[in-house]
Amino acid sequence: MLKRTSAIQSFLKCSSNLTPQYTAEKYALKRGDYGALTQDDQNHLISLVNGKGIVGEKELEGYNVDWMRIVRGKSELLLKPETTQQVSSILKFCHSKNIAVVPQGGNTGLVGGSVPVFDEVILNTSLMNKVEKIDPVSGVVVAQAGCILDQLNSELAEHKLMMPLDLGAKGSCQLGGNISTNAGGLRLLRYGSLRGNVLGMEAVLADGTIVDCMQTLRKDNTGYDIKQHFIGSEGTLGIITKASVLCAALPSSVNLAFLSVNAFADVRRLFSRARDDLGEILSAFEFIDNSCLVCLEENLKLTPPVDQSPFAVVIETHGSNSTHDFEKLEAFLESVMNDGTVIDGCVAEDSQKATNWWQLRERMAESLMHDGYVYKYDVSVPLDKFYELVTVMRERLGEKVLRCVGYGHVGDSNLHINITTPAYSKEVDQLIEPFIFEWVSQVNGSISAEHGIGFKKTQFLHLSKSAEAIAQMRLLKNAMDPKNILNPYKVLPLL
Amino acid sequence: MLKRTSAIQSFLKCSSNLTPQYTAEKYALKRGDYGALTQDDQNHLISLVNGKGIVGEKELEGYNVDWMRIVRGKSELLLKPETTQQVSSILKFCHSKNIAVVPQGGNTGLVGGSVPVFDEVILNTSLMNKVEKIDPVSGVVVAQAGCILDQLNSELAEHKLMMPLDLGAKGSCQLGGNISTNAGGLRLLRYGSLRGNVLGMEAVLADGTIVDCMQTLRKDNTGYDIKQHFIGSEGTLGIITKASVLCAALPSSVNLAFLSVNAFADVRRLFSRARDDLGEILSAFEFIDNSCLVCLEENLKLTPPVDQSPFAVVIETHGSNSTHDFEKLEAFLESVMNDGTVIDGCVAEDSQKATNWWQLRERMAESLMHDGYVYKYDVSVPLDKFYELVTVMRERLGEKVLRCVGYGHVGDSNLHINITTPAYSKEVDQLIEPFIFEWVSQVNGSISAEHGIGFKKTQFLHLSKSAEAIAQMRLLKNAMDPKNILNPYKVLPLL
């Protein structure tokens, strides 16, 4: 499968002229009252990682800007620790000197959570990439935070195991980043969330304290589950250095079907049917609207294996018995084609074809960026209102935009809605926000299904979270990082 | 299936002469510096729940003592609120008067977490038993905390859904208690933990603040997941009043096999084989040792469907296609019987038989209590050391005890080890504790797999949790309940 690293290269070619729109200046943000990094501090910090650091804003360009190249900070120091002890020493020092730190994994996030806002020191985990243990009996992997998802999967495959999550960025995203953003991805409906699959964790607190919760057992009800603090808190409460994860069995039988559907009501019905008929073998149910398919063809020359139609659906099964799985899939497809739910469809005969078809879904983000500027939204919307948001936004934006497309994980009520223009347009931006978030809030959706809050969405958090829940977030942040040196300006609304 | 309520009646008959061993006196505990409950306070609190309360230590006997009748407090007031608002009013008042409160659900816990230690006011959730909504499309149920697990399942079954957890106490345990103790149970290996399946929650904080996190979507990465605080914290951080839970599809095909195995090494091998061959349809893998079977026969006249052997294994499958499922199970059984992993076995032909066989597993706890006094342990132990603990304890205790038995969830590395004597023996108690916890700690197990810490295990928490993690627990408790009025003397080690 195409790795996001190549997607990044391809993207950089087509969008090197983009100017980051999300900077401290945009919000007239004032730098927090942090210590200034002296030459002595720099030297000391670099010595803590045996020289494995980079100095200078220019030298750090790739690390100061996010993957989409629309969020940018101005850090002058990046550190690449190799051990938990080094992470602890760095934070202990920064804490004592009141220096702000931004943790950074693969930097594939889409809400600006992994780049600095001002001059925070970047603590990059890419050298913490050791797989410490794979236990084929329990199916548990113990690995450092910097392990790349794809590489982890390669090692696990030798033991007939795989990570319980899969996402487009797998070629560059790291385990620590996955966990700290509570990554969901393509197969959550089958393998569940990281909150259940992360069995143990080691993390370093703001003051350098190492918290060891490295359990590898499925059941452990001994007091509060402290590791949950670090799942999904985007590096604002601590830095994850290691984790143990319950893997899934590598399926011996994988099937992929690509289907054409006429209306979104049919997509919804198809999902209910797939859940009933495919039952325990259903592993993904993704949809792509026709505007997406047009974009893939125009920008990446990728064509779908079926005739164009309003909606395409990708259904995947993972199972342990290929005869049984194929029988289930065949009966299901026959039934939904006979009753007209599906108008056209095909099943991949080999894994190469399956890989090619997955690219239509996985390279969507890349494909859109070729248009110029992408306004990217990742929301949860109850299925009865799901696609309405795309229609509403299209009407609202009309000719002012190039495209307004919808795709995503129907099985998780997770819609990716993306809007493109040749270059950033403030008018379009203001037509979209806060309207889109308010719309989602009104239908009891979530303004961030899986991307998180990061830097870009803090001011909209109240639309998905009650005031009392936000107050509890602040309480926790103040208790765990009273100096607010860990990933400041992120997740929590600025006061 | 036999409900624990009948188990309780049956038990009460046989053990009414038991004296609770776990009381404040046992540990020479001093009552916290809480306000004394005046007559006016009582009257006011009872008025807050429209008179739905009980007054007097004698009248509260059944609520002051735990299910096992070995932990006892001396509360003089029990309140049965019906609404979240009432829970809030109670806590607001108690907070202002510095009155301690113990939340109580079905009171089926096994570590004394749901009974008072001194005179804490009991806040019993049994009247908060409304199922607010069942959505057949998303599979999400919204229900109040006092809903009984079995009754929830009955309502869900009408929509072809079921709760994602199952445990012996289902006839009396409540949703709120299940979540606040992070209940695991029989089918965790298939349906995952409550940390992933609880999608939303409403809880009331120590000061009466209602925290609304009532999301019903699978993906919601908007800031810290505050509801995780209340999962598994045994009512010490807030009282859960409502939750939304992702249900599982009710399987259209269920199979149950009862197998005899000669050695624990074979049980382990059988588990690996079941996972490989039954794959996605495996829903439970339980083991019962021969001493358990003898006890079931002696105390409850229950006999296994196969010849006596050192170990019995119960394997269950849940699937969507009975032909496929039976083919998988048949091929698996043939293979493990042919190669000698299994020496005898049978498959339930009907659901009545399956129900009867499940009783052998589910009535184990009840059966043991007929012996007199039960020393009950619930630990996680890596599978390569799993049964060794039972052997070690048998050698250590010899003729001083009636039985030392092992059973539990092999699929989750979760061993229930139980020891019985005709009456409580301090000598036996001291031979078991802390030895058993230290042994578990040395093999990197967990001293509480699913039962929690409650009142009984606080002094051993350090054997499963690092000092830094315990410090984080205290930090959270102090931040969320600085007056320590919620379920005091529980979970956190006493200072």
Side-chain angles (χ1 to χ4, degrees):
Chain A
M1 243 166 266
L2 186 93
K3 294 188 169 70
R4 185 165 279 191
T5 36
S6 15
I8 288 177
Q9 280 150 15
S10 146
F11 165 64
L12 287 181
K13 268 186 225 146
C14 76
S15 61
S16 53
N17 57 345
L18 273 188
T19 315
Q21 300 304 327
Y22 288 85
T23 61
E25 290 82 18
K26 170 167 170 154
Y27 301 111
L29 262 191
K30 233 185 104 232
R31 180 178 177 278
D33 194 18
Y34 299 106
L37 199 70
T38 66
Q39 187 63 48
D40 278 354
D41 293 339
Q42 273 197 6
N43 292 345
H44 179 69
L45 284 166
I46 288 179
S47 77
L48 291 177
V49 290
N50 300 324
K52 294 193 168 134
I54 305 175
V55 179
E57 196 190 327
K58 270 223 162 125
E59 289 72 8
L60 288 180
E61 208 184 326
Y63 301 94
N64 268 321
V65 181
D66 74 325
W67 181 67
M68 302 249 319
R69 297 181 80 77
I70 57 173
V71 189
R72 191 195 57 214
K74 296 175 177 182
S75 178
E76 298 196 347
L77 179 65
L78 174 137
L79 303 168
K80 293 193 176 184
E82 292 173 288
T83 65
T84 303
Q85 201 47 61
Q86 287 178 0
V87 175
S88 169
S89 304
I90 292 167
L91 287 182
K92 199 171 172 190
F93 181 79
C94 289
H95 192 255
S96 73
K97 294 270 182 172
N98 198 31
I99 293 167
V101 175
V102 52
Q104 187 177 73
N107 199 14
T108 61
L110 297 169
V111 288
S114 57
V115 287
V117 175
F118 290 96
D119 58 348
E120 299 93 282
V121 170
I122 303 175
L123 191 154
N124 184 296
T125 50
S126 56
L127 296 185
M128 300 181 72
N129 57 359
K130 279 178 211 65
V131 178
E132 294 194 355
K133 193 181 172 188
I134 296 173
D135 179 351
V137 177
S138 65
V140 176
V141 60
V142 178
Q144 277 190 303
C147 289
I148 290 173
L149 184 56
D150 234 4
Q151 289 173 7
L152 261 177
N153 268 330
S154 303
E155 292 204 35
L156 287 167
E158 293 171 28
H159 304 274
K160 296 191 185 168
L161 295 168
M162 65 174 198
M163 288 294 284
L165 80 165
D166 190 12
L167 55 159
K170 63 185 133 192
S172 344
C173 68
Q174 298 175 8
L175 178 62
N178 290 156
I179 299 175
S180 64
T181 58
N182 190 29
L186 299 166
R187 298 192 181 96
L188 185 117
L189 92 162
R190 171 69 174 272
Y191 298 107
S193 95
L194 286 173
R195 297 209 172 267
N197 289 321
V198 174
L199 302 184
M201 190 190 289
E202 180 190 74
V204 182
L205 302 177
D207 67 359
T209 303
I210 299 169
V211 182
D212 176 358
C213 301
M214 278 305 295
Q215 195 52 273
T216 57
L217 299 156
R218 281 199 80 160
K219 284 182 177 168
D220 177 29
N221 277 347
T222 49
Y224 310 164
D225 190 4
I226 295 304
K227 68 177 184 292
Q228 297 291 337
H229 289 348
F230 308 102
I231 301 179
S233 56
E234 303 182 44
T236 60
L237 298 178
I239 298 182
I240 297 169
T241 47
K242 202 196 287 190
S244 56
V245 180
L246 181 68
C247 298
L250 197 66
S252 58
S253 152
V254 177
N255 288 299
L256 197 70
F258 204 102
L259 311 172
S260 296
V261 181
N262 252 337
F264 194 77
D266 291 334
V267 174
R268 225 162 49 212
R269 185 155 7 116
L270 190 62
F271 172 58
S272 286
R273 295 286 303 278
R275 221 176 28 179
D276 289 349
D277 295 2
L278 300 173
E280 61 278 4
I281 64 168
L282 180 65
S283 57
F285 190 105
E286 300 287 308
F287 99 105
I288 311 168
D289 74 8
N290 186 259
S291 305
C292 285
L293 296 177
V294 171
C295 177
L296 285 162
E297 189 147 10
E298 287 179 5
N299 291 351
L300 295 181
K301 310 284 170 238
L302 293 174
T303 52
V306 289
D307 286 343
Q308 296 271 352
S309 65
F311 299 94
V313 168
V314 180
I315 292 177
E316 186 196 59
T317 66
H318 276 181
S320 61
N321 183 310
S322 55
T323 314
H324 290 170
D325 294 1
F326 198 75
E327 268 178 35
K328 284 192 182 85
L329 186 60
E330 209 173 25
F332 162 70
L333 291 177
E334 203 179 304
S335 152
V336 292
M337 291 186 86
N338 281 347
D339 71 9
T341 309
V342 162
I343 49 174
D344 188 17
C346 50
V347 175
E349 305 100 47
D350 54 51
S351 64
Q352 185 53 48
K353 204 151 245 173
T355 303
N356 293 344
W357 293 0
W358 264 128
Q359 290 209 8
L360 289 159
R361 171 61 188 82
E362 294 198 326
R363 294 182 68 185
M364 246 343 284
E366 177 199 349
S367 153
L368 287 157
M369 292 199 295
H370 286 257
D371 276 4
Y373 191 86
V374 185
Y375 311 79
K376 207 166 185 64
Y377 300 91
D378 154 57
V379 294
S380 284
V381 176
L383 280 189
D384 57 335
K385 298 276 183 189
F386 196 75
Y387 196 69
E388 198 178 311
L389 180 57
V390 181
T391 322
V392 166
M393 291 310 293
R394 272 189 195 140
E395 273 168 27
R396 184 173 172 86
L397 299 168
E399 300 293 310
K400 293 193 177 80
V401 301
L402 284 176
R403 295 181 221 269
C404 174
V405 310
Y407 61 99
H409 320 289
V410 177
D412 312 323
S413 287
N414 181 184
L415 173 69
H416 295 311
I417 170 165
N418 286 243
I419 294 148
T420 63
T421 50
Y424 174 77
S425 151
K426 198 170 178 178
E427 187 197 356
V428 169
D429 194 348
Q430 289 176 342
L431 276 171
I432 303 174
E433 295 186 20
F435 176 86
I436 193 166
F437 297 124
E438 286 165 359
W439 191 96
V440 168
S441 176
Q442 271 158 25
V443 300
N444 296 316
S446 166
I447 64 153
S448 183
E450 52 181 13
H451 292 174
I453 296 298
F455 179 61
K456 285 171 70 180
K457 296 190 187 172
T458 57
Q459 71 273 37
F460 303 112
L461 183 63
H462 66 281
L463 292 170
S464 271
K465 225 165 188 94
S466 66
E468 293 77 16
I470 294 176
Q472 288 302 304
M473 285 175 59
R474 280 199 200 285
L475 191 77
L476 189 62
K477 173 71 177 176
N478 290 339
M480 292 183 69
D481 180 19
K483 288 186 168 183
N484 191 24
I485 66 160
L486 279 177
N487 219 3
Y489 325 105
K490 315 279 174 67
V491 185
L492 284 152
L494 300 169
L495 289 172
Chain B
M1 242 166 265
L2 186 94
K3 295 187 169 71
R4 184 164 282 191
T5 37
S6 17
I8 287 176
Q9 281 148 14
S10 145
F11 164 64
L12 287 181
K13 268 186 227 147
C14 77
S15 59
S16 51
N17 58 343
L18 272 187
T19 314
Q21 300 304 325
Y22 289 85
T23 61
E25 290 82 18
K26 170 167 169 154
Y27 300 112
L29 264 190
K30 231 184 105 230
R31 180 178 177 279
D33 193 15
Y34 298 107
L37 200 69
T38 66
Q39 187 63 48
D40 279 355
D41 293 340
Q42 273 197 6
N43 293 345
H44 180 69
L45 284 166
I46 288 179
S47 77
L48 291 176
V49 291
N50 301 324
K52 297 201 164 125
I54 305 175
V55 179
E57 196 190 327
K58 270 226 162 123
E59 290 72 9
L60 288 180
E61 206 185 328
Y63 301 94
N64 268 322
V65 180
D66 73 327
W67 181 68
M68 301 250 320
R69 299 181 81 77
I70 56 173
V71 188
R72 190 195 58 214
K74 297 176 178 180
S75 178
E76 298 196 346
L77 178 65
L78 173 138
L79 302 168
K80 292 192 176 183
E82 292 173 288
T83 66
T84 302
Q85 201 48 61
Q86 288 178 0
V87 174
S88 169
S89 304
I90 293 168
L91 288 182
K92 201 172 169 188
F93 181 79
C94 290
H95 192 254
S96 73
K97 294 270 182 173
N98 199 31
I99 293 168
V101 176
V102 53
Q104 186 177 74
N107 197 13
T108 61
L110 298 169
V111 288
S114 56
V115 286
V117 176
F118 290 95
D119 58 349
E120 300 93 283
V121 171
I122 303 176
L123 191 154
N124 184 295
T125 50
S126 55
L127 296 184
M128 302 182 71
N129 56 0
K130 281 180 209 65
V131 178
E132 295 195 355
K133 195 181 170 188
I134 296 173
D135 180 350
V137 177
S138 65
V140 176
V141 60
V142 178
Q144 276 190 302
C147 290
I148 289 174
L149 184 55
D150 235 3
Q151 290 173 6
L152 261 176
N153 268 331
S154 301
E155 292 204 35
L156 288 166
E158 293 171 28
H159 304 274
K160 294 191 184 168
L161 294 169
M162 64 174 199
M163 290 293 284
L165 79 164
D166 191 11
L167 55 158
K170 63 183 133 192
S172 346
C173 67
Q174 298 175 9
L175 178 63
N178 290 155
I179 299 175
S180 64
T181 57
N182 189 29
L186 298 167
R187 298 194 181 95
L188 184 120
L189 93 162
R190 170 69 172 272
Y191 298 106
S193 95
L194 286 173
R195 299 210 171 266
N197 289 321
V198 174
L199 301 184
M201 190 190 290
E202 180 191 73
V204 182
L205 302 177
D207 67 359
T209 303
I210 299 169
V211 182
D212 176 358
C213 300
M214 276 306 295
Q215 196 52 273
T216 57
L217 299 156
R218 282 200 78 160
K219 284 181 177 170
D220 177 31
N221 277 346
T222 50
Y224 309 163
D225 190 1
I226 296 304
K227 69 176 182 292
Q228 298 292 336
H229 288 349
F230 308 103
I231 302 179
S233 56
E234 304 182 44
T236 59
L237 298 177
I239 297 183
I240 298 170
T241 48
K242 202 196 286 189
S244 55
V245 180
L246 181 68
C247 299
L250 197 65
S252 59
S253 153
V254 177
N255 289 299
L256 197 71
F258 204 103
L259 311 173
S260 298
V261 181
N262 252 338
F264 195 77
D266 291 335
V267 174
R268 227 164 47 214
R269 183 152 11 113
L270 189 62
F271 172 58
S272 287
R273 294 287 302 279
R275 222 176 30 181
D276 289 349
D277 294 1
L278 300 173
E280 61 278 4
I281 63 168
L282 181 64
S283 56
F285 190 105
E286 300 286 310
F287 99 104
I288 309 168
D289 72 8
N290 186 259
S291 307
C292 286
L293 296 177
V294 170
C295 178
L296 285 163
E297 191 148 8
E298 287 179 3
N299 292 350
L300 297 180
K301 310 284 171 236
L302 293 173
T303 50
V306 288
D307 286 344
Q308 297 271 351
S309 65
F311 298 95
V313 168
V314 179
I315 293 179
E316 186 196 57
T317 66
H318 277 183
S320 61
N321 184 311
S322 54
T323 314
H324 290 170
D325 294 2
F326 198 76
E327 269 178 35
K328 284 191 181 86
L329 186 60
E330 207 174 25
F332 162 69
L333 291 177
E334 203 180 305
S335 153
V336 292
M337 290 185 87
N338 281 346
D339 71 8
T341 308
V342 163
I343 48 172
D344 188 15
C346 49
V347 175
E349 304 102 46
D350 53 53
S351 64
Q352 186 52 51
K353 204 150 245 175
T355 304
N356 294 344
W357 293 1
W358 262 128
Q359 290 208 8
L360 289 159
R361 171 62 188 80
E362 294 197 326
R363 293 181 69 185
M364 245 346 282
E366 179 199 348
S367 152
L368 287 158
M369 293 197 297
H370 286 257
D371 277 2
Y373 192 86
V374 185
Y375 310 78
K376 207 167 185 62
Y377 300 91
D378 154 58
V379 295
S380 285
V381 176
L383 281 189
D384 56 334
K385 297 276 182 188
F386 196 74
Y387 196 69
E388 198 178 312
L389 180 56
V390 181
T391 323
V392 165
M393 291 311 294
R394 273 188 195 140
E395 274 169 25
R396 184 173 172 85
L397 299 168
E399 300 294 311
K400 294 193 177 78
V401 300
L402 283 177
R403 294 180 223 268
C404 175
V405 311
Y407 61 101
H409 320 290
V410 177
D412 312 323
S413 287
N414 181 183
L415 173 69
H416 294 313
I417 171 166
N418 285 243
I419 294 149
T420 63
T421 49
Y424 174 76
S425 151
K426 197 168 178 181
E427 186 197 356
V428 169
D429 194 349
Q430 289 176 344
L431 274 172
I432 302 174
E433 296 187 19
F435 176 85
I436 193 167
F437 296 124
E438 286 166 357
W439 191 95
V440 168
S441 175
Q442 271 160 24
V443 300
N444 296 315
S446 165
I447 63 151
S448 182
E450 52 182 14
H451 293 174
I453 296 298
F455 178 62
K456 285 171 68 180
K457 295 190 188 171
T458 58
Q459 71 273 37
F460 304 113
L461 184 63
H462 67 280
L463 292 171
S464 269
K465 227 165 186 92
S466 65
E468 294 76 16
I470 293 176
Q472 289 301 303
M473 285 176 57
R474 281 198 198 285
L475 191 76
L476 189 62
K477 173 71 177 176
N478 291 339
M480 293 183 68
D481 179 20
K483 287 186 168 182
N484 191 24
I485 66 159
L486 281 177
N487 219 3
Y489 324 104
K490 315 280 174 65
V491 185
L492 284 152
L494 300 169
L495 288 172

